[in-house]
PDB file of all heavy atoms in Angstrom:
ATOM      1  N   THR Q 500     -52.988 -51.396  11.448  1.00 96.00           N
ATOM      2  CA  THR Q 500     -51.726 -50.838  11.788  1.00 96.00           C
ATOM      3  C   THR Q 500     -50.593 -51.735  11.444  1.00 96.00           C
ATOM      4  O   THR Q 500     -49.472 -51.199  10.988  1.00 96.00           O
ATOM      5  CB  THR Q 500     -51.779 -50.490  13.373  1.00 96.00           C
ATOM      6  OG1 THR Q 500     -52.814 -49.719  13.646  1.00 96.00           O
ATOM      7  CG2 THR Q 500     -50.474 -49.758  13.778  1.00 96.00           C
ATOM      8  N   TYR Q 501     -50.647 -53.024  11.765  1.00 96.00           N
ATOM      9  CA  TYR Q 501     -49.574 -53.921  11.382  1.00 96.00           C
ATOM     10  C   TYR Q 501     -49.312 -53.875   9.864  1.00 96.00           C
ATOM     11  O   TYR Q 501     -48.113 -53.765   9.394  1.00 96.00           O
ATOM     12  CB  TYR Q 501     -49.842 -55.348  11.871  1.00 96.00           C
ATOM     13  CG  TYR Q 501     -48.840 -56.333  11.373  1.00 96.00           C
ATOM     14  CD1 TYR Q 501     -47.646 -56.542  12.043  1.00 96.00           C
ATOM     15  CD2 TYR Q 501     -49.123 -57.136  10.289  1.00 96.00           C
ATOM     16  CE1 TYR Q 501     -46.721 -57.501  11.567  1.00 96.00           C
ATOM     17  CE2 TYR Q 501     -48.144 -58.114   9.778  1.00 96.00           C
ATOM     18  CZ  TYR Q 501     -46.996 -58.235  10.487  1.00 96.00           C
ATOM     19  OH  TYR Q 501     -46.078 -59.158  10.002  1.00 96.00           O
ATOM     20  N   ALA Q 502     -50.350 -53.947   9.062  1.00 95.00           N
ATOM     21  CA  ALA Q 502     -50.170 -53.968   7.612  1.00 95.00           C
ATOM     22  C   ALA Q 502     -49.619 -52.622   7.126  1.00 95.00           C
ATOM     23  O   ALA Q 502     -48.748 -52.625   6.262  1.00 95.00           O
ATOM     24  CB  ALA Q 502     -51.493 -54.214   6.935  1.00 95.00           C
ATOM     25  N   ALA Q 503     -50.067 -51.597   7.728  1.00 94.00           N
ATOM     26  CA  ALA Q 503     -49.582 -50.285   7.280  1.00 94.00           C
ATOM     27  C   ALA Q 503     -48.025 -50.126   7.598  1.00 94.00           C
ATOM     28  O   ALA Q 503     -47.304 -49.583   6.739  1.00 94.00           O
ATOM     29  CB  ALA Q 503     -50.324 -49.147   8.040  1.00 94.00           C
ATOM     30  N   GLY Q 504     -47.580 -50.617   8.716  1.00 94.00           N
ATOM     31  CA  GLY Q 504     -46.213 -50.621   9.044  1.00 94.00           C
ATOM     32  C   GLY Q 504     -45.359 -51.319   8.017  1.00 94.00           C
ATOM     33  O   GLY Q 504     -44.221 -50.904   7.648  1.00 94.00           O
ATOM     34  N   ARG Q 505     -45.942 -52.406   7.471  1.00 93.00           N
ATOM     35  CA  ARG Q 505     -45.173 -53.186   6.486  1.00 93.00           C
ATOM     36  C   ARG Q 505     -45.280 -52.551   5.069  1.00 93.00           C
ATOM     37  O   ARG Q 505     -44.313 -52.465   4.420  1.00 93.00           O
ATOM     38  CB  ARG Q 505     -45.703 -54.636   6.434  1.00 93.00           C
ATOM     39  CG  ARG Q 505     -45.567 -55.434   7.681  1.00 93.00           C
ATOM     40  CD  ARG Q 505     -44.103 -55.837   7.912  1.00 93.00           C
ATOM     41  NE  ARG Q 505     -43.597 -56.710   6.890  1.00 93.00           N
ATOM     42  CZ  ARG Q 505     -43.604 -58.049   6.977  1.00 93.00           C
ATOM     43  NH1 ARG Q 505     -44.063 -58.670   8.077  1.00 93.00           N
ATOM     44  NH2 ARG Q 505     -43.110 -58.792   6.040  1.00 93.00           N
ATOM     45  N   VAL Q 506     -46.457 -52.183   4.714  1.00 93.00           N
ATOM     46  CA  VAL Q 506     -46.682 -51.568   3.364  1.00 93.00           C
ATOM     47  C   VAL Q 506     -46.032 -50.185   3.254  1.00 93.00           C
ATOM     48  O   VAL Q 506     -45.388 -49.884   2.255  1.00 93.00           O
ATOM     49  CB  VAL Q 506     -48.188 -51.513   3.027  1.00 93.00           C
ATOM     50  CG1 VAL Q 506     -48.407 -50.764   1.745  1.00 93.00           C
ATOM     51  CG2 VAL Q 506     -48.719 -52.965   2.980  1.00 93.00           C
ATOM     52  N   TRP Q 507     -46.214 -49.352   4.275  1.00 93.00           N
ATOM     53  CA  TRP Q 507     -45.643 -47.946   4.214  1.00 93.00           C
ATOM     54  C   TRP Q 507     -44.142 -47.966   4.500  1.00 93.00           C
ATOM     55  O   TRP Q 507     -43.477 -46.980   4.184  1.00 93.00           O
ATOM     56  CB  TRP Q 507     -46.333 -47.105   5.302  1.00 93.00           C
ATOM     57  CG  TRP Q 507     -47.793 -46.870   4.984  1.00 93.00           C
ATOM     58  CD1 TRP Q 507     -48.485 -47.094   3.867  1.00 93.00           C
ATOM     59  CD2 TRP Q 507     -48.738 -46.222   5.897  1.00 93.00           C
ATOM     60  NE1 TRP Q 507     -49.781 -46.761   4.000  1.00 93.00           N
ATOM     61  CE2 TRP Q 507     -49.934 -46.168   5.285  1.00 93.00           C
ATOM     62  CE3 TRP Q 507     -48.605 -45.702   7.181  1.00 93.00           C
ATOM     63  CZ2 TRP Q 507     -51.131 -45.622   5.866  1.00 93.00           C
ATOM     64  CZ3 TRP Q 507     -49.726 -45.205   7.845  1.00 93.00           C
ATOM     65  CH2 TRP Q 507     -50.912 -45.093   7.083  1.00 93.00           C
ATOM     66  N   GLY Q 508     -43.658 -49.065   5.086  1.00 93.00           N
ATOM     67  CA  GLY Q 508     -42.177 -49.061   5.443  1.00 93.00           C
ATOM     68  C   GLY Q 508     -41.827 -48.306   6.701  1.00 93.00           C
ATOM     69  O   GLY Q 508     -40.620 -48.162   7.004  1.00 93.00           O
ATOM     70  N   THR Q 509     -42.808 -47.918   7.477  1.00 91.00           N
ATOM     71  CA  THR Q 509     -42.476 -47.106   8.682  1.00 91.00           C
ATOM     72  C   THR Q 509     -41.981 -47.955   9.822  1.00 91.00           C
ATOM     73  O   THR Q 509     -41.356 -47.402  10.768  1.00 91.00           O
ATOM     74  CB  THR Q 509     -43.794 -46.417   9.224  1.00 91.00           C
ATOM     75  OG1 THR Q 509     -44.848 -47.341   9.271  1.00 91.00           O
ATOM     76  CG2 THR Q 509     -44.233 -45.315   8.295  1.00 91.00           C
ATOM     77  N   GLY Q 510     -42.063 -49.290   9.684  1.00 87.00           N
ATOM     78  CA  GLY Q 510     -41.584 -50.194  10.698  1.00 87.00           C
ATOM     79  C   GLY Q 510     -40.158 -50.700  10.513  1.00 87.00           C
ATOM     80  O   GLY Q 510     -39.590 -51.379  11.260  1.00 87.00           O
ATOM     81  N   ILE Q 511     -39.481 -50.140   9.360  1.00 93.00           N
ATOM     82  CA  ILE Q 511     -38.130 -50.674   9.153  1.00 93.00           C
ATOM     83  C   ILE Q 511     -37.169 -50.116  10.192  1.00 93.00           C
ATOM     84  O   ILE Q 511     -37.108 -48.955  10.547  1.00 93.00           O
ATOM     85  CB  ILE Q 511     -37.680 -50.156   7.756  1.00 93.00           C
ATOM     86  CG1 ILE Q 511     -38.497 -50.909   6.638  1.00 93.00           C
ATOM     87  CG2 ILE Q 511     -36.198 -50.387   7.535  1.00 93.00           C
ATOM     88  CD1 ILE Q 511     -38.218 -50.399   5.269  1.00 93.00           C
ATOM     89  N   HIS Q 512     -36.352 -51.084  10.694  1.00 95.00           N
ATOM     90  CA  HIS Q 512     -35.411 -50.825  11.744  1.00 95.00           C
ATOM     91  C   HIS Q 512     -34.131 -51.661  11.555  1.00 95.00           C
ATOM     92  O   HIS Q 512     -34.243 -52.856  11.437  1.00 95.00           O
ATOM     93  CB  HIS Q 512     -36.055 -51.083  13.126  1.00 95.00           C
ATOM     94  CG  HIS Q 512     -35.127 -51.015  14.301  1.00 95.00           C
ATOM     95  ND1 HIS Q 512     -34.744 -52.047  15.087  1.00 95.00           N
ATOM     96  CD2 HIS Q 512     -34.465 -49.921  14.782  1.00 95.00           C
ATOM     97  CE1 HIS Q 512     -33.980 -51.661  15.979  1.00 95.00           C
ATOM     98  NE2 HIS Q 512     -33.731 -50.411  15.864  1.00 95.00           N
ATOM     99  N   TYR Q 513     -32.971 -50.942  11.617  1.00 97.00           N
ATOM    100  CA  TYR Q 513     -31.765 -51.701  11.475  1.00 97.00           C
ATOM    101  C   TYR Q 513     -31.169 -51.871  12.928  1.00 97.00           C
ATOM    102  O   TYR Q 513     -31.281 -50.922  13.810  1.00 97.00           O
ATOM    103  CB  TYR Q 513     -30.677 -50.942  10.711  1.00 97.00           C
ATOM    104  CG  TYR Q 513     -31.045 -50.673   9.256  1.00 97.00           C
ATOM    105  CD1 TYR Q 513     -30.755 -49.424   8.665  1.00 97.00           C
ATOM    106  CD2 TYR Q 513     -31.731 -51.644   8.464  1.00 97.00           C
ATOM    107  CE1 TYR Q 513     -31.071 -49.200   7.339  1.00 97.00           C
ATOM    108  CE2 TYR Q 513     -32.015 -51.443   7.161  1.00 97.00           C
ATOM    109  CZ  TYR Q 513     -31.710 -50.173   6.584  1.00 97.00           C
ATOM    110  OH  TYR Q 513     -32.088 -49.931   5.297  1.00 97.00           O
ATOM    111  N   ASP Q 514     -30.682 -53.001  13.227  1.00 96.00           N
ATOM    112  CA  ASP Q 514     -30.199 -53.318  14.543  1.00 96.00           C
ATOM    113  C   ASP Q 514     -28.756 -52.687  14.673  1.00 96.00           C
ATOM    114  O   ASP Q 514     -27.785 -53.388  14.367  1.00 96.00           O
ATOM    115  CB  ASP Q 514     -30.146 -54.848  14.817  1.00 96.00           C
ATOM    116  CG  ASP Q 514     -29.719 -55.196  16.254  1.00 96.00           C
ATOM    117  OD1 ASP Q 514     -29.585 -54.263  17.016  1.00 96.00           O
ATOM    118  OD2 ASP Q 514     -29.451 -56.350  16.496  1.00 96.00           O
ATOM    119  N   LEU Q 515     -28.665 -51.478  15.208  1.00 96.00           N
ATOM    120  CA  LEU Q 515     -27.385 -50.792  15.335  1.00 96.00           C
ATOM    121  C   LEU Q 515     -26.920 -50.700  16.775  1.00 96.00           C
ATOM    122  O   LEU Q 515     -25.968 -50.107  17.064  1.00 96.00           O
ATOM    123  CB  LEU Q 515     -27.512 -49.387  14.787  1.00 96.00           C
ATOM    124  CG  LEU Q 515     -27.992 -49.249  13.338  1.00 96.00           C
ATOM    125  CD1 LEU Q 515     -27.876 -47.779  12.900  1.00 96.00           C
ATOM    126  CD2 LEU Q 515     -27.133 -50.136  12.386  1.00 96.00           C
ATOM    127  N   GLY Q 516     -27.738 -51.388  17.666  1.00 92.00           N
ATOM    128  CA  GLY Q 516     -27.306 -51.298  19.093  1.00 92.00           C
ATOM    129  C   GLY Q 516     -27.782 -49.935  19.583  1.00 92.00           C
ATOM    130  O   GLY Q 516     -28.699 -49.277  19.023  1.00 92.00           O
ATOM    131  N   GLY Q 517     -27.181 -49.509  20.715  1.00 90.00           N
ATOM    132  CA  GLY Q 517     -27.576 -48.221  21.252  1.00 90.00           C
ATOM    133  C   GLY Q 517     -28.772 -48.338  22.282  1.00 90.00           C
ATOM    134  O   GLY Q 517     -29.509 -49.285  22.181  1.00 90.00           O
TER     135      GLY Q 517
END
Side-chain angles (χ1 to χ4, degrees):
T500 302
Y501 174 80
R505 296 289 294 265
V506 173
W507 295 350
T509 50
I511 291 176
H512 173 244
Y513 300 140
D514 183 9
L515 305 185

